[in-house]
Amino acid sequence: MTKPRLFRLWLVLGSVLMILLIIVYWDNVSTAHFYLHTSLSRPHVLEPLPTPGQGEEKEFTSDVDEFLDKLLSSGAKQNDLARKKTEKPQVLASGKPALSHMEESVRGYDWSPHDAQQSPDQGQQQAERRSVLRDFCANSSLVFPTKERSFDDIPNYELNHLIVDDRHGVIYCYVPKVACTNWKRVMIVLSESLLDGGAPYRDPLDIPREHVHNTSTHLTFNKFWRRYGKFSRHLMKIKLKKYTKFLFVRDPFVRLISAFRSKFELENEEFYRKFAVPMLRLYANHTSLPASVSEAFSAGLKVSFSNFIQYLLDPHTEKLAPFNEHWRQVYRLCHPCQIDYDFVGKLETLDEDAAQLLRLLKVDTQFHFPPSYRNRTASSWEEDWFAKIPLAWRQQLYRLYEADFVLFGYPKPENLLRD
């Protein structure tokens, strides 16, 4: 009789311990706002392009998938019901900036209405962009580093550009110098990740710029390990399968010009010390440089565009550290051959693409995408900017960014690559 009683006692104690572990684990998950799709909160998922044999293949969810789906969905229902009881009505964003938006005013934002209507060709255009991307990812003729690796092979620190909104089921990969400040504002409004006086922001333009680029404001994939441990990569895959994924891109050479203008033509203490000083020493033969960027600018010491290109082409540059995100290639930031994006927007068609995406996400009645500004770096400036760059450097630079040109359908700049 003693052994059965001991067995029952251990069984009871083990069950209690397991329940306590589940409670602690679920408390951590729920506080991270980990919502999966439920009948109460189901984001719009774009229809994938048909592929050969797609109808014949069936995907079977593993036991782990089923367990996590049920566990997380049940919690999502409770959180969603509570949110619906307390949620305030959505407020339409005004078309004008608040008085505090001095930076946008200085940068020359165009505050005229941008109510772009979706044309019948927009759906086809989006399908073509995604098709080009998938075709070249599968095409062995295009070779670039990291192309053949799987999602599991991507280091955790390289997933820091994937911002997650669990409330609407959206994942955004941000690319610096491609309207990412305003798309981050949109993600803050959608995810309600930042409060103003105890209430979530409703208008993207109300969010101060210093909060927009604060990494603690956003839930990104690289933070999953700290929250979910060994389940993190599996949970990422569940989200990638279920959520709507988007990114915005730009002509690679124009993006480089834009990065140079904002980081080296304007006074920026961080970029001066970290990048400008080494560039001026290595490529401009300056040995004694001022300690601050204001002193350097006053003395006429500025990095030239030629110095910047030399820095990018120097094989020693990335032996010290990876490219800064403002000039790192998009394929290295967003992993388009490992992640099947549902929407590929372009800065060249930003107003139309933004309006289309917000409609597809069914949030276009809540706010409008912040309007673009007039002094945006234009592609027509390329020839002027590259006029003093040697032909060999231009050709080498194209090879460095060729994957971005090809994957996202940008034509090869032949006028810059020949005499």
Side-chain angles (χ1 to χ4, degrees):
M1 293 296 290
T2 306
K3 289 184 178 180
R5 286 179 181 174
L6 286 174
F7 176 75
R8 285 196 295 270
L9 178 62
W10 281 111
L11 184 62
V12 171
L13 291 174
S15 300
V16 171
L17 180 61
M18 183 61 68
I19 292 171
L20 289 173
L21 288 174
I22 291 174
I23 291 172
V24 171
Y25 173 75
W26 180 242
D27 181 62
N28 288 333
V29 172
S30 62
T31 56
H33 304 291
F34 189 42
Y35 306 99
L36 284 184
H37 300 286
T38 67
S39 57
L40 294 174
S41 175
R42 187 175 298 276
H44 178 88
V45 179
L46 305 182
E47 290 296 326
L49 294 176
T51 56
Q54 186 178 20
E56 301 172 5
E57 297 181 2
K58 294 182 179 179
E59 295 185 358
F60 296 94
T61 307
S62 67
D63 293 339
V64 178
D65 285 338
E66 282 190 32
F67 170 73
L68 290 172
D69 232 344
K70 290 178 181 177
L71 179 65
L72 298 171
S73 294
S74 64
K77 288 180 181 179
Q78 295 174 6
N79 287 323
D80 219 25
L81 283 171
R83 179 178 57 81
K84 286 178 180 294
K85 291 178 181 178
T86 59
E87 190 172 47
K88 297 180 181 180
Q90 298 285 355
V91 180
L92 290 175
S94 63
K96 302 284 184 179
L99 293 177
S100 60
H101 298 132
M102 290 301 296
E103 180 180 358
E104 281 78 358
S105 300
V106 170
R107 284 171 175 257
Y109 274 73
D110 177 10
W111 298 109
S112 56
H114 291 266
D115 295 326
Q117 298 298 318
Q118 183 176 4
S119 68
D121 295 333
Q122 281 185 310
Q124 179 62 28
Q125 181 187 66
Q126 195 55 225
E128 290 173 358
R129 290 177 184 175
R130 296 174 63 226
S131 178
V132 167
L133 181 55
R134 281 209 295 255
D135 289 347
F136 277 107
C137 282
N139 192 329
S140 59
S141 65
L142 178 65
V143 179
F144 57 88
T146 74
K147 179 186 177 183
E148 301 300 331
R149 67 182 178 181
S150 68
F151 180 75
D152 287 328
D153 295 328
I154 302 173
N156 199 52
Y157 64 86
E158 289 186 15
L159 298 173
N160 61 328
H161 280 242
L162 292 155
I163 299 176
V164 182
D165 164 31
D166 287 314
R167 295 183 68 249
H168 297 83
V170 179
I171 295 174
Y172 163 52
C173 183
Y174 73 90
V175 179
K177 308 314 300 177
V178 191
C180 77
T181 298
N182 282 335
W183 278 116
K184 284 181 178 181
R185 284 182 167 126
V186 168
M187 293 297 286
I188 289 171
V189 171
L190 291 178
S191 63
E192 297 186 354
S193 61
L194 190 64
L195 302 180
D196 179 29
Y201 282 96
R202 299 299 184 192
D203 184 348
L205 286 176
D206 287 340
I207 304 172
R209 188 181 180 89
E210 59 268 22
H211 296 322
V212 174
H213 296 295
N214 188 331
T215 56
S216 64
T217 303
H218 306 280
L219 173 61
T220 49
F221 266 4
N222 66 309
K223 296 178 181 178
F224 274 37
W225 177 254
R226 291 199 305 269
R227 296 188 179 203
Y228 311 121
K230 64 181 180 180
F231 290 111
S232 59
R233 195 61 63 132
H234 192 77
L235 297 180
M236 291 179 203
K237 290 180 180 178
I238 291 178
K239 290 175 183 284
L240 288 172
K241 179 181 177 182
K242 291 175 174 287
Y243 285 12
T244 301
K245 305 163 292 295
F246 77 94
L247 79 164
F248 272 73
V249 297
R250 185 180 195 176
D251 179 287
F253 279 3
V254 180
R255 178 172 168 246
L256 286 180
I257 297 170
S258 178
F260 175 80
R261 291 179 66 205
S262 68
K263 301 305 176 186
F264 300 111
E265 288 199 333
L266 301 176
E267 292 189 10
N268 186 309
E269 198 67 48
E270 177 189 358
F271 277 76
Y272 171 73
R273 294 181 179 180
K274 191 172 183 179
F275 300 105
V277 168
M279 288 184 202
L280 289 169
R281 286 175 176 164
L282 285 171
Y283 313 117
N285 296 320
H286 289 291
T287 55
S288 180
L289 292 166
S292 70
V293 66
S294 58
E295 291 175 320
F297 273 42
S298 298
L301 296 174
K302 293 184 180 181
V303 169
S304 68
F305 188 59
S306 178
N307 297 153
F308 179 55
I309 300 301
Q310 282 179 281
Y311 167 81
L312 296 175
L313 298 179
D314 191 335
H316 295 289
T317 296
E318 288 213 86
K319 290 181 180 179
L320 299 175
F323 276 172
N324 179 268
E325 62 177 7
H326 291 86
W327 46 83
R328 195 181 308 165
Q329 297 91 330
V330 176
Y331 77 82
R332 295 170 62 185
L333 296 173
C334 296
H335 319 289
C337 289
Q338 289 76 31
I339 297 173
D340 186 17
Y341 285 93
D342 301 294
F343 191 94
V344 179
K346 292 191 174 184
L347 194 74
E348 292 81 3
T349 52
L350 176 62
D351 294 334
E352 297 85 353
D353 289 351
Q356 181 188 9
L357 178 60
L358 294 181
R359 282 193 295 268
L360 292 172
L361 296 176
K362 301 187 185 300
V363 296
D364 55 309
T365 59
Q366 298 178 24
F367 54 84
H368 297 294
F369 184 76
S372 55
Y373 52 91
R374 299 187 191 96
N375 69 341
R376 183 189 299 164
T377 304
S379 58
S380 59
W381 300 359
E382 277 185 328
E383 289 193 26
D384 293 336
W385 278 89
F386 283 95
K388 296 181 180 180
I389 305 300
L391 176 61
W393 292 9
R394 285 180 255 159
Q395 293 171 338
Q396 192 178 347
L397 189 70
Y398 175 75
R399 290 193 292 271
L400 193 61
Y401 289 87
E402 181 179 19
D404 282 357
F405 275 99
V406 175
L407 291 173
F408 300 108
Y410 286 101
K412 187 176 182 178
E414 298 287 358
N415 58 317
L416 300 177
L417 303 178
R418 62 172 184 265
D419 286 328

